[in-house]
Amino acid sequence: MKDISEIRADFPILSRKVYDKPLIYLDNGATTQKPLCVLDAVRDVYIRYNGNIHRGVHAMSDMTSEAYENAREIVRSFINASQREEIIFTSGTTGSINSIAFSFGERYVKEGDEILVSNLEHHANIVPWQMMCERKRAKLKVIPVNDNGEIIFDEYLKLLSPRTKIVAVTQVSNALGTIVPVNDIIKAAHSRNIPVLVDGAQGIQHGTTDVALMDCDFYAFSGHKIYGPTGIGVLYGKEKWLRELPPWQGGGDMVDKVTFEKTTYNELPFKFEAGTMNYAGAIGLGKALDYVSGIGREEIALRERQLLEYANNRLSGIKGLKIFGNSPDKIATISFLLDGIHQYDTGMILDKLGIAVRTGTHCAQPVMERFGIEGTVRVSMCFYNTFDEIDALGTGIEKVIQMFS
Ligand code: PMP
């Protein structure tokens, strides 16, 4: 792995100051910073070869189309999908899940059917299913979690029923950092012929994701959480499903032949890519994935485990600090509360010290309710963070406690 100072030099924003203090960016679960190579790749599109994709006969359109399709290939290889037809570009995880919830619901879900999600889910993996359940008069069932913030597997098995049409679970909890045993969840669902969608928004950037090994039917992630641009994301779907599912949007590029009587659809993956896509974003995402591969995904996972261990040691020594989410299988995220101090106050004071953390419910209100709290302070680290930054966080938290004592 590159030296940490070399890595940080790849991310110009990390050397900025806020309130005249060096920025300590610990909100990577919300969005990650971007390396220069990603910014250059996006800039390059607009400076050198911008042309709308798949449309023109001219050189510019050809070059952009080639770069876009090359990005699709990078994504395919990054997640080890077997074919490029299984990679659909979307606006992000939310876009991917909404599209599947709509399309899958239209094709397969009937009154009285059941959709299974977990208590850990981000709203993006709850609300689209709820909306579909309302349309189809289906029921949303919820896998409970234990006090450590882990899915209760036996309860999951009990909830799988002949009426379960799909299971939708997160790979990693954004609120608590728990790594969910998605492989086991998928095996159990598949043994009953139930497909599984995995929300990879917090999983893809922390180690290696292999959709072939995982055997998920659908996988969704966002570019901006893996050092890529905003407004671009991916939906992976097994070819057999994508062939059967109806498109969720109509428009240009997704059609084969259009008459007023009937429209036939384009081949995969274009059937699901209506209108002008965010091709510059896709090209930037391809570059981000190449950057991550260049650093090394195993190396990233190892470094983040070291950061987590260091932060756990530092923070658990602080009196009055309670951590939510204590699974031994966690990404480098720590959600906590300070005794008698509101999470917003903690977050605001840390901010004034140049330390960016997230406060609130983290778009996961049901899991906050499970723990009987209104929210937490969330520290989400990634490989460009340093042990010094964690020390500064520890000192900052002690300052907050002092101010309130
Ligand atoms: N799922 C999880 C687990 C997330 O953490 C997030 C983002 N916080 C989303 C879905 C939604 O991602 P996006 O806003 O990029 O669509």
Side-chain angles (χ1 to χ4, degrees):
M1 186 156 166
K2 275 167 55 172
D3 182 68
I4 186 68
S5 56
E6 272 181 274
I7 287 175
R8 287 180 70 86
D10 291 337
F11 296 81
I13 206 169
L14 295 179
S15 55
R16 70 157 287 168
K17 291 189 167 182
V18 285
Y19 311 114
D20 221 21
K21 307 216 162 45
L23 168 68
I24 296 179
Y25 188 75
L26 297 172
D27 194 17
N28 296 288
T31 198
T32 53
Q33 302 303 345
K34 322 300 171 200
L36 257 182
C37 61
V38 167
L39 307 179
D40 286 344
V42 174
R43 191 165 176 266
D44 224 33
V45 176
Y46 294 121
I47 285 192
R48 288 205 311 116
Y49 58 90
N50 179 41
N52 207 336
I53 50 172
H54 306 142
R55 280 154 210 240
V57 286
H58 59 79
M60 308 281 276
S61 170
D62 275 354
M63 282 189 279
T64 312
S65 303
E66 199 182 316
Y68 179 73
E69 291 306 323
N70 181 48
R72 196 190 307 277
E73 172 54 27
I74 295 171
V75 173
R76 185 206 64 72
S77 151
F78 193 84
I79 62 173
N80 196 30
S82 59
Q83 313 169 48
R84 56 181 281 288
E85 286 79 2
E86 297 178 320
I87 306 299
I88 317 287
F89 284 115
T90 65
S91 58
T93 310
T94 303
S96 299
I97 299 173
N98 271 276
S99 302
I100 284 298
F102 177 79
S103 176
F104 190 92
E106 288 306 294
R107 175 63 42 102
Y108 298 112
V109 180
K110 300 200 172 49
E111 184 167 353
D113 284 343
E114 293 169 2
I115 311 297
L116 199 47
V117 298
S118 89
N119 198 170
L120 285 175
E121 303 310 314
H122 185 281
H123 298 160
N125 202 26
I126 299 173
V127 184
W129 302 110
Q130 233 165 14
M131 289 160 70
M132 183 257 267
C133 284
E134 254 175 56
R135 272 197 314 275
K136 296 285 163 180
R137 298 174 184 226
K139 286 185 214 141
L140 192 70
K141 298 271 179 167
V142 182
I143 312 163
V145 300
N146 64 20
D147 290 343
N148 277 340
E150 300 161 312
I151 275 174
I152 306 175
F153 205 81
D154 287 348
E155 295 296 323
Y156 162 60
L157 295 179
K158 280 189 223 157
L159 282 163
L160 288 169
S161 91
R163 300 236 60 168
T164 311
K165 280 288 139 89
I166 190 166
V167 176
V169 284
T170 195
Q171 188 178 13
V172 170
S173 155
N174 69 311
L176 308 178
T178 318
I179 299 173
V180 174
V182 285
N183 291 4
D184 297 336
I185 287 176
I186 292 165
K187 250 185 227 131
H190 282 181
S191 70
R192 294 155 176 86
N193 286 323
I194 301 165
V196 179
L197 174 141
V198 175
D199 171 352
Q202 300 289 342
I204 188 87
Q205 64 282 56
H206 305 291
T208 303
T209 287
D210 180 328
V211 292
L213 202 70
M214 197 193 287
D215 201 26
C216 54
D217 298 273
F218 303 102
Y219 184 83
F221 71 91
S222 301
H224 72 100
K225 292 188 197 278
I226 183 160
Y227 316 104
T230 53
I232 186 76
V234 169
L235 169 70
Y236 156 82
K238 279 186 182 164
E239 189 200 351
K240 65 167 185 174
W241 289 113
L242 295 182
R243 285 213 180 284
E244 280 193 24
L245 287 172
W248 39 81
Q249 279 193 323
D253 237 20
M254 54 74 75
V255 298
D256 171 31
K257 187 162 171 36
V258 181
T259 66
F260 282 115
E261 287 70 42
K262 186 173 169 57
T263 291
T264 52
Y265 303 129
N266 203 342
E267 291 170 355
L268 289 175
F270 310 113
K271 173 178 146 188
F272 295 110
E273 295 186 350
T276 296
M277 299 297 290
N278 180 4
Y279 52 79
I283 293 163
L285 171 59
K287 195 52 154 183
L289 299 185
D290 275 350
Y291 177 82
V292 166
S293 299
I295 299 283
R297 285 188 274 175
E298 291 313 312
E299 286 79 0
I300 287 177
L302 175 65
R303 164 133 188 112
E304 291 180 353
R305 272 199 299 277
Q306 291 165 346
L307 286 167
L308 177 64
E309 195 184 329
Y310 191 86
N312 262 334
N313 284 340
R314 180 68 183 88
L315 299 199
S316 58
I318 298 176
K319 214 166 149 246
L321 184 147
K322 179 169 183 205
I323 294 176
F324 294 85
N326 290 299
S327 170
D329 290 325
K330 276 183 72 171
I331 57 159
T333 285
I334 298 180
S335 236
F336 70 90
L337 281 175
L338 299 176
D339 218 7
I341 305 174
H342 197 277
Q343 65 268 15
Y344 291 130
D345 293 327
T346 308
M348 270 164 51
I349 297 167
L350 290 176
D351 174 51
K352 296 292 178 289
L353 300 170
I355 304 170
V357 295
R358 173 98 186 250
T359 58
T361 63
H362 319 296
C363 296
Q365 287 174 23
V367 76
M368 296 293 120
E369 199 175 311
R370 156 67 182 80
F371 283 92
I373 52 180
E374 282 173 15
T376 66
V377 181
R378 184 188 69 183
V379 173
S380 50
M381 297 162 273
C382 77
F383 68 93
Y384 53 55
N385 289 122
T386 65
F387 299 113
D388 286 349
E389 287 181 318
I390 294 165
D391 285 337
L393 170 73
T395 309
I397 293 170
E398 281 158 357
K399 223 173 235 171
V400 174
I401 294 171
Q402 243 174 28
M403 284 175 71
F404 278 84
S405 66

